Amino acid sequence: MDSLRLLHSRWLRWFGLNICLAIAYAWTAEISLVFTTLPGTVASVWLPSGLTLGLILLFGNKILPSIALGSLWVISFDLIERDPNISIQAFFWVNFGCIAGNLVQPLLARFILKKYSQSRHFFNQVRGVLTYITAATLSPMASAFIGVTSIVFAERMEWGQYGLNWFTWWLASTLAHLIFTPVILLGKDFFSRKIPYHVIEMLLILAVFISVSWSIFIQSYPVAYLLLLILNWTVFRYGAFVSSLLVSIVSILAIYTTAHGLGVFVLESQNQSLLFLQSFMGVFALSSLLLSAVVEERSRAQTSLKKALDNSTKLILERTKELRRSEALLRQTNQELQKLVHLDGLTQIANRRCFNQRLTAEWHRLYREQKPLALILFDVDYFKRYNDFYGHQQGDECLIQIAQAVKHLLKRPADLVARYGGEEFVVVLPNTTQEGATIVAKRIRRTVLELQIAHNATEINEAIVTVSLGVVSGIPQGQEKPLTFVKKADQALYLAKQQGRNRIVVAGESEFPHLP
């Protein structure tokens, strides 16, 4: 009798747990579907993926029915809402593929973690974090393949859309794994630990976070890098859970404001905006996980070092080496973060923020030394036509080729080429006269011509991609500002455009038509 009661009680707990989790799955799925950007049910951030992976790692296979039930619930209602006359065959295939993909994904991730992670506390070490990142990245590939293929077989999507939908499905689940799953897994142990905190410090962090978030997501000021400072602050003071929670909050704010046309991530189309946003969230989440692991390793190394003080000198030296390795990894992580802040994601050259800082620094230095500073502003002729004719992907390749060619053209360490915006680039040449700057401009123009990038939509006879260049040089004066210097180069570039493109105009002089 007691055995029957125990069995009945376990069955009821199992049933109740799965019903609650199925409801949670459906609720998070409905939130995710708000941000659907492509045909079908492929969302930009699929929150249920983060939920199911965390729950599978916590509860095991006994919650698999809740995943299947939640998936069936959401997908069925969504299909019927989109097409009330959907055929039974299409309804079955879509449901079967999506449910199978949603089940395979967390199981595959757990398999990878169990096989390659040395500890179940994988967020406490860099190797464990890298293993988790691998599992979080690879498992959605299988899910995306199964789900998108089933949608195609159900004739709810064309084969031509397969690649983009597969990529979006994969990226949406991967981001959910990186952003939201750590909060679920780390929260279990966080509240059992005593974390030292001060009310004033917490209020200060909250005030800074609200101010920066308002500037980024409401006022659209390009200061997203300031969030990295807050992230570092929380990692060092409060550990992995608080930093992961911060990443989740920032991601939710970023997604919501971008989807409503607010913030710095808003581009020409919603798809472009969300892809740009996804790259930011991915970098932000990875930085949090890696930095937290490094700090945790460093903390453990310091604890071990204190204990080793009572042992032999050999133990002390071994722990010291471990500490140094952790510090070196921390420095390397911070250096990589700084590179991301000053690097243009597409062309892999300096971005506009880096250019503004370098120009200001060189301006003040050369003003003190009374030496010349030169600036070359150039952009791609008829680039909009190029994009319309060849497509945006080919347009991106064109910008990459030009940026890298100019980067390798500049030989001096002090010279800088940066992406100024869109198809526009800028070159900073310290200690360079007008004559020297003109020579460099000729080389840039000739280098672009030698790339022989076909451009059949141009009005220039060569039918290849060309550039127009504006050059300015002079010794910085106290009454002038760097912005005035840039404006002169921009005016020279405008004259080059007016006079037929594919040429150089030096500020204060006549143009050089079709320079060799």
Side-chain angles (χ1 to χ4, degrees):
M1 194 66 162
D2 291 338
S3 298
L4 289 175
R5 288 179 179 176
L6 181 61
L7 182 63
H8 183 67
S9 176
R10 288 179 178 177
W11 186 87
L12 285 177
R13 286 199 299 268
W14 172 84
F15 181 80
L17 176 65
N18 276 275
I19 291 297
C20 292
L21 294 182
I23 294 173
Y25 184 99
W27 181 66
T28 55
E30 287 298 324
I31 295 175
S32 297
L33 288 174
V34 173
F35 305 110
T36 299
T37 59
L38 297 171
T41 55
V42 184
S44 297
V45 177
W46 190 241
L47 299 177
S49 294
L51 178 67
T52 55
L53 178 55
L55 295 177
I56 281 287
L57 293 174
L58 290 177
F59 297 104
N61 293 341
K62 63 182 179 181
I63 65 158
L64 289 177
S66 68
I67 300 176
L69 181 60
S71 299
L72 179 63
W73 184 353
V74 173
I75 297 165
S76 298
F77 275 101
D78 185 65
L79 286 174
I80 294 173
E81 182 179 356
R82 290 172 181 269
D83 185 5
N85 299 319
I86 185 173
S87 66
I88 297 177
Q89 182 180 6
F91 184 86
F92 169 80
W93 275 113
V94 173
N95 271 287
F96 174 80
C98 292
I99 293 172
N102 291 334
L103 291 172
V104 167
Q105 182 172 285
L107 292 175
L108 179 58
R110 187 181 65 172
F111 170 79
I112 296 173
L113 289 171
K114 282 189 173 182
K115 185 173 181 61
Y116 297 103
S117 180
Q118 296 179 335
S119 170
R120 68 186 185 91
H121 301 291
F122 35 80
F123 291 119
N124 293 339
Q125 50 185 299
V126 174
R127 180 174 177 178
V129 168
L130 293 176
T131 304
Y132 176 78
I133 292 172
T134 302
T137 305
L138 292 180
S139 57
M141 293 183 179
S143 172
F145 171 77
I146 297 172
V148 176
T149 302
S150 69
I151 295 173
V152 172
F153 277 124
E155 298 182 350
R156 306 296 296 175
M157 182 193 303
E158 299 294 334
W159 279 106
Q161 299 174 316
Y162 189 98
L164 184 58
N165 279 270
W166 182 95
F167 175 78
T168 306
W169 182 312
W170 167 78
L171 186 56
S173 295
T174 299
L175 285 175
H177 288 167
L178 296 176
I179 295 171
F180 299 105
T181 303
V183 178
I184 299 174
L185 299 177
L186 292 168
K188 183 173 68 73
D189 297 327
F190 175 77
F191 296 101
S192 62
R193 299 168 54 190
K194 291 184 177 180
I195 305 296
Y197 70 92
H198 302 283
V199 175
I200 296 178
E201 182 183 23
M202 295 292 289
L203 292 176
L204 181 60
I205 292 176
L206 182 62
V208 173
F209 175 73
I210 293 175
S211 300
V212 173
S213 299
W214 176 269
S215 300
I216 297 169
F217 303 122
I218 304 299
Q219 298 298 321
S220 301
Y221 292 128
V223 291
Y225 59 92
L226 292 179
L227 291 172
L228 294 174
L229 300 178
I230 303 175
L231 178 66
N232 288 346
W233 191 351
T234 56
V235 167
F236 281 100
R237 291 289 291 135
Y238 303 107
F241 172 75
V242 177
S243 63
S244 296
L245 185 61
L246 175 66
V247 170
S248 299
I249 294 172
V250 169
S251 299
I252 291 171
L253 284 173
I255 294 170
Y256 181 82
T257 54
T258 303
H260 288 77
L262 300 173
V264 297
F265 301 103
V266 176
L267 299 178
E268 294 180 358
S269 69
Q270 188 183 43
N271 284 353
Q272 290 176 335
S273 300
L274 290 175
L275 287 174
F276 182 34
L277 171 65
Q278 285 171 329
S279 66
F280 166 78
M281 291 190 299
V283 171
F284 202 53
L286 290 174
S287 301
S288 171
L289 294 175
L290 289 172
L291 193 58
S292 299
V294 171
V295 172
E296 185 66 25
E297 280 194 347
R298 181 184 179 185
S299 177
R300 292 202 310 273
Q302 289 174 330
T303 302
S304 300
L305 184 59
K306 291 178 181 178
K307 294 179 180 179
L309 290 175
D310 298 330
N311 298 326
S312 64
T313 306
K314 181 179 179 180
L315 273 177
I316 295 176
L317 292 175
E318 290 176 355
R319 297 298 182 265
T320 303
K321 290 180 181 179
E322 183 179 352
L323 178 61
R324 288 173 179 173
R325 285 196 298 268
S326 297
E327 290 174 340
L329 184 57
L330 179 61
R331 286 195 298 270
Q332 182 181 354
T333 302
N334 285 328
Q335 290 172 358
E336 291 299 322
L337 291 176
Q338 289 299 320
K339 289 181 181 178
L340 289 173
V341 170
H342 292 92
L343 197 67
D344 178 64
L346 175 66
T347 59
Q348 297 299 300
I349 61 174
N351 58 19
R352 186 164 180 172
R353 183 184 299 110
C354 180
F355 158 73
N356 289 335
Q357 293 177 359
R358 179 71 70 85
L359 177 62
T360 302
E362 293 293 349
W363 180 273
H364 292 301
R365 180 179 70 83
L366 296 172
Y367 170 72
R368 291 192 303 269
E369 298 174 2
Q370 284 297 288
K371 292 183 179 178
L373 172 66
L375 202 67
I376 302 175
L377 196 63
F378 69 95
D379 70 356
V380 182
D381 296 327
Y382 298 110
F383 186 73
K384 184 180 184 303
R385 296 186 185 181
Y386 187 96
N387 262 344
D388 295 340
F389 189 84
Y390 294 97
H392 288 280
Q393 184 175 359
Q394 191 64 30
D396 289 346
E397 289 296 326
C398 173
L399 294 179
I400 292 171
Q401 290 186 55
I402 292 173
Q404 291 300 314
V406 176
K407 178 181 177 181
H408 289 96
L409 175 68
L410 302 176
K411 302 300 182 184
R412 299 187 306 176
D415 296 341
L416 175 76
V417 58
R419 188 179 182 190
Y420 193 69
E423 72 275 17
E424 203 167 25
F425 300 88
V426 63
V427 178
V428 180
L429 302 170
N431 297 307
T432 304
T433 62
Q434 180 174 293
E435 180 180 0
T438 304
I439 293 173
V440 174
K442 292 180 180 180
R443 291 175 180 172
I444 292 173
R445 178 181 172 276
R446 186 167 58 249
T447 298
V448 174
L449 290 174
E450 290 173 353
L451 291 175
Q452 291 291 302
I453 303 174
H455 190 348
N456 292 318
T458 183
E459 294 182 2
I460 297 174
N461 295 331
E462 288 84 351
I464 59 175
V465 169
T466 61
V467 293
S468 300
L469 306 95
V471 180
V472 63
S473 177
I475 299 175
Q477 302 298 322
Q479 66 273 19
E480 288 187 319
K481 295 182 179 180
L483 185 62
T484 306
F485 208 60
V486 176
K487 187 175 182 180
K488 290 180 180 179
D490 188 59
Q491 290 172 347
L493 174 59
Y494 179 75
L495 287 176
K497 290 287 188 182
Q498 274 193 328
Q499 295 170 5
R501 293 179 171 82
N502 188 25
R503 63 193 63 212
I504 301 167
V505 169
V506 180
E509 289 192 0
S510 60
E511 50 96 4
F512 294 80
H514 300 285
L515 292 169

